[in-house]
């Protein structure tokens, strides 16, 4: 294993790699993973944007006007909204959360990359450790610290933007039967229940949602699986049998999974978003109305992890 400093576009970066995987992070902004390469094939799994300058946004800026690539942490919300209980009732929760636009502290210790950031409008610290648990498994372990005297309700989602290929198959646990439509370019209503993997497209035709269609389909559909997962995982099986990616996560603390398959229906990208998350519906107040709450106790901690297996 090797951890070294490098450069990504115009940003200082940190590369974490071994004989199988090369992962690259920037601490400012977002503490984000900007690249994930399987060394066996040389394939870049994460979406890259053109240009030599990283597109930044100010705090509380518009996420999609920024770089909008790679893997960002969405916390403590995805959609901009207002916190709904005291003592922060009415406080604005920024678009796609606070931490993607903020500089993170970083250090290297004991073959581990450590990253951390403190909240702006809320009293928390979000920390993550990046290390290998096996030659082909990269782990990102999270600790959320509540520095306030009040319980804090939040949403965390891993915003993975993976490159897609036509005919790629998505595998999920067997208990993923019903999906809730959240965002689409069809006339499907928000909250409509769909039966995985057979969805209807914009013309009403049934298609397999677990297999990526040609870019000419123009599909764009975000959904969450309705029930909590017993086992947290999702796999991408590429047409080239040498390429396979698994995202696994701690289902006891991250019990939901969202997927957005984008077949050039948005921003001329052909990619898939995989989003393990603590609650659904893209905002914590709306999730709570549907009986979903993730909460860190006053003065307490909340922990989870994500493993990337190539």
């Amino acid at each position: 294993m090797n951890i070294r400093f490098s450069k990504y576009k115009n940003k200082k970066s940190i590369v974490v790699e071994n004989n199988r995987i090369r992962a690259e992070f920037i601490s400012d902004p977002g503490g984000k993973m900007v690249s994930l390469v399987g060394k066996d094939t040389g394939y870049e799994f994460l979406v890259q944007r053109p240009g030599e300058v990283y597109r930044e946004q100010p705090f509380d800026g518009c996420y999609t006007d920024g770089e909008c690539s790679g893997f960002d942490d969405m916390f403590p919300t995805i959609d901009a909204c207002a916190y709904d209980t005291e003592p922060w009732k009415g406080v604005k929760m920024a678009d796609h959360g606070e931490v993607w636009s903020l500089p993170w502290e970083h250090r290297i210790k004991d073959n581990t990359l450590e990253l951390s950031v403190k909240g702006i409008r809320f009293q928390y610290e979000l920390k993550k450790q990046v290390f290998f648990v096996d030659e082909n498994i990269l782990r990102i372990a999270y600790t959320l610290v509540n520095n306030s005297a009040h319980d804090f309700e939040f949403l965390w989602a891993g915003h993975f933007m993976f490159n897609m290929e036509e005919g790629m198959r998505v595998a999920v646990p067997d208990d993923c039967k019903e999906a809730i439509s959240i965002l689409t370019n069809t006339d499907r209503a928000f909250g409509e229940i769909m039966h995985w993997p057979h969805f209807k497209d914009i013309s009403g035709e049934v298609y397999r949602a677990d297999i990526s269609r040609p870019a000419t389909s123009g599909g764009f559909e975000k959904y969450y699986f309705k029930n909590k997962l017993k086992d947290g995982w999702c796999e991408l099986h590429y047409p080239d049998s040498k390429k396979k990616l698994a995202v696994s996560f701690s289902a006891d603390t991250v019990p939901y999974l969202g997927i957005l398959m984008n077949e050039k229906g948005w921003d001329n990208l052909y990619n898939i978003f995989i989003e393990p998350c603590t609650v659904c519906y893209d905002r914590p107040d709306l999730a709570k109305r549907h009986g979903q709450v993730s909460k860190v106790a006053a003065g307490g901690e909340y922990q989870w992890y994500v493993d990337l297996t190539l």
Side-chain angles (χ1 to χ4, degrees):
M1 176 178 173
N2 179 37
I3 302 179
R4 57 184 172 85
F5 293 101
S6 186
K7 189 174 183 180
Y8 180 82
K9 297 191 175 184
N10 61 319
K11 291 288 184 182
K12 294 179 180 178
S13 68
I14 305 134
V15 173
V16 181
E17 65 181 332
N18 62 14
N19 293 328
R20 298 285 301 278
I21 298 172
R22 180 187 183 276
E24 188 169 7
F25 294 79
I26 59 173
S27 60
D28 182 11
K32 72 180 283 177
M33 183 190 293
V34 293
S35 174
L36 178 68
V37 175
K39 288 189 172 182
D40 290 350
T41 61
Y43 186 75
E44 172 63 74
F45 285 92
L46 289 174
V47 167
Q48 304 292 304
R49 293 289 188 164
E52 299 301 316
V53 177
Y54 187 91
R55 300 188 307 189
E56 294 191 64
Q57 282 284 293
F59 175 77
D60 205 6
C62 176
Y63 177 75
T64 55
D65 286 346
E67 188 78 359
C68 194
S69 66
F71 164 47
D72 283 295
D73 293 294
M74 305 286 92
F75 177 88
T77 186
I78 298 178
D79 287 349
C81 58
Y83 199 89
D84 67 342
T85 58
E86 298 295 349
W88 300 288
K89 188 172 184 178
V91 173
K92 183 183 178 183
M93 305 179 85
D95 174 49
H96 283 72
E98 294 193 341
V99 301
W100 66 269
S101 64
L102 295 176
W104 290 50
E105 298 290 332
H106 69 274
R107 71 171 183 167
I108 298 168
K109 180 182 178 183
D110 299 331
N111 287 326
T112 298
L113 170 61
E114 298 182 347
L115 296 153
S116 64
V117 66
K118 291 184 179 179
I120 299 296
R121 294 175 176 158
F122 306 97
Q123 296 166 268
Y124 64 81
E125 182 177 13
L126 183 60
K127 301 185 285 187
K128 56 186 179 183
Q129 296 180 311
V130 182
F131 55 95
F132 289 101
V133 294
D134 204 340
E135 275 290 296
N136 65 329
I137 304 175
L138 181 70
R139 173 164 292 186
I140 307 174
Y142 291 83
T143 300
L144 170 62
V145 181
N146 183 355
N147 292 321
S148 79
H150 304 272
D151 294 351
F152 181 57
E153 296 174 359
F154 65 92
L155 176 157
W156 174 85
H159 196 260
F160 290 96
M161 295 179 66
F162 292 121
N163 287 312
M164 193 163 65
E165 295 179 3
E166 184 177 338
M168 186 187 74
R169 184 172 65 86
V170 182
V172 295
D174 289 341
D175 53 351
C176 292
K177 301 294 187 184
E178 294 184 316
I180 308 163
S181 179
I182 298 295
L183 186 65
T184 179
N185 62 356
T186 71
D187 58 1
R188 202 185 323 279
F190 178 89
E192 181 178 324
I193 301 297
M194 305 174 294
H195 298 280
W196 172 268
H198 302 287
F199 293 179
K200 290 184 179 180
D201 64 16
I202 194 168
S203 63
E205 296 294 321
V206 175
Y207 70 96
R208 289 281 301 270
D210 60 336
I211 299 175
S212 56
R213 298 173 295 172
T216 52
S217 72
F220 179 75
E221 182 92 51
K222 180 174 183 179
Y223 52 92
Y224 289 103
F225 290 106
K226 182 178 179 182
N227 295 328
K228 286 186 175 182
L229 300 180
K230 297 176 183 177
D231 297 305
W233 61 268
C234 177
E235 293 179 349
L236 304 182
H237 297 254
Y238 288 79
D240 176 356
S241 61
K242 294 180 180 179
K243 297 201 297 284
K244 177 182 171 183
L245 169 68
V247 180
S248 52
F249 44 96
S250 45
D252 54 339
T253 48
V254 181
Y256 295 99
L257 175 64
I259 295 177
L260 194 166
M261 191 173 280
N262 178 29
E263 297 144 332
K264 289 207 168 183
W266 175 77
D267 208 24
N268 202 37
L269 288 175
Y270 190 70
N271 76 295
I272 186 168
F273 298 71
I274 301 298
E275 299 189 15
C277 49
T278 59
V279 294
C280 307
Y281 294 97
D282 285 5
R283 45 191 284 182
D285 59 339
L286 185 55
K288 186 161 61 174
R289 293 175 207 166
H290 289 84
Q292 302 174 8
V293 178
S294 53
K295 177 171 62 178
V296 56
E301 296 184 352
Y302 193 101
Q303 295 182 324
W304 67 97
Y305 69 84
V306 177
D307 284 347
L308 299 171
T309 304
L310 304 187

